[in-house]
Amino acid sequence: MSNMSLSCILLLCLAVASAFAMSPHLWTKLILTHHWPNTFCSMNPCHHPNVEHWTLHGFWPDVGNMCNNTWNFNSTEIEDLLPDMQKSWPDLLKASSAFWKHEWSKHGTCAAKSLALNSQHKYFSKALELYHKLDLDSILKKFDIIPSEEFYKFSQIEQAIEGFYGVKPKIQCVHSFKNDDNQTLGQIEICFNATFSLLDCEHDISFTGTPGFSVCDHNIPIYYPPL
Ligand SMILES: *[C@@H]1O[C@H](CO)[C@@H](O)[C@H](O)[C@H]1NC(C)=O
Ligand SMILES: *[C@@H]1O[C@H](CO)[C@@H](O)[C@H](O)[C@H]1NC(C)=O
Ligand SMILES: *[C@@H]1O[C@H](CO)[C@@H](O)[C@H](O)[C@H]1NC(C)=O
Ligand SMILES: *[C@@H]1O[C@H](CO)[C@@H](O)[C@H](O)[C@H]1NC(C)=O
């Protein structure tokens, strides 16, 4: 290949790259991930035990990771949200803002490519707003899905959520290696489009997010652990 055609290819690549950089954002879906603290804390050394409601894990665009490494988390910008953040999006591992800093750097900076989410305050307040609007805790209770020694069928949990919100959630469990007849409810994802309307989540999405969790098996009873 001549140097001339090589540089043409390079120019083409640059043109494509800058077209992407100028597009408002590449992602089309936002995944609001809730986790059940008791399940998370059975796998991790938690600083923050005894949380008895579904808490936020993250608010993730479906495409992109670490989109701007110079845009640092700054808790002063979300000072008014901190009481709600502590309750609804607690760092279960540490008494610090490390979790929020991580979520902002990894996912928030990518979500911020949308004008509607282009500041830390917009990003965190929108996540909290959607979390309260969904109110997953009340919905599960309303359908008698309560943390207990009882086991639930996958279809019962899925139908409660899907019936209420009208979209498919992604429901993730921790699978017990010793025991094939048991899986533990760990994480529930609800998806939105870029203008925050509910949207089906994809079950087989390759972006799994969290080590240890995978989509619940439809045929194995689900344990929803009480405190
Ligand atoms: C990255 O973040 C910095 C600091 O907030 C900002 O000035 C810059 O415009 C951002 N870059 C992009 C491509 O968004
Ligand atoms: C954090 O945000 C506050 C409020 O916007 C601002 O005054 C301060 O300079 C920021 N701190 C850093 C380190 O950027
Ligand atoms: C189901 O699995 C969980 C977590 O591995 C465990 O705590 C619980 O005792 C198991 N229940 C049964 C009936 O095996
Ligand atoms: C999100 O979904 C709503 C309702 O279906 C639709 O009106 C809106 O145009 C969608 N937004 C985007 C960005 O696709």
Side-chain angles (χ1 to χ4, degrees), residues 25 27-28 192-199:
H25 49 79
W27 53 264
T28 56
F192 296 87
N193 74 10
T195 47
F196 314 114
S197 291
L198 285 161
L199 193 68

Side-chain angles (χ1 to χ4, degrees), residues 151-222:
F151 282 73
Y152 293 93
K153 280 187 178 164
F154 177 83
S155 58
Q156 187 184 351
I157 300 175
E158 188 183 48
Q159 278 162 22
I161 296 173
E162 196 172 339
F164 192 83
Y165 301 115
V167 288
K168 281 193 194 305
K170 182 173 167 191
I171 304 172
Q172 293 173 295
C173 285
V174 179
H175 298 269
S176 148
F177 294 106
K178 287 177 287 196
N179 184 353
D180 270 353
D181 330 315
N182 182 10
Q183 54 184 342
T184 305
L185 186 58
Q187 197 151 271
I188 296 180
E189 299 181 354
I190 311 272
C191 297
F192 296 87
N193 74 10
T195 47
F196 314 114
S197 291
L198 285 161
L199 193 68
D200 285 340
C201 291
E202 278 153 42
H203 286 200
D204 54 357
I205 194 163
S206 56
F207 174 63
T208 53
T210 315
F213 290 113
S214 51
V215 172
C216 302
D217 190 307
H218 294 207
N219 302 311
I220 298 178
I222 295 179

Side-chain angles (χ1 to χ4, degrees), residues 2 11 34 45 54 63 68 71 79 83 91 103 109 111 117 120 122 150 160 167 169 175 184 186 188 190-191 210 215:
S2 74
L11 274 178
H34 305 67
W54 285 86
V63 175
N68 185 341
W71 200 350
E79 211 155 3
D91 185 338
E103 291 295 314
T109 55
L117 299 172
Q120 299 184 46
K122 287 186 194 174
E150 301 289 309
V167 288
H175 298 269
T184 305
I188 296 180
I190 311 272
C191 297
T210 315
V215 172

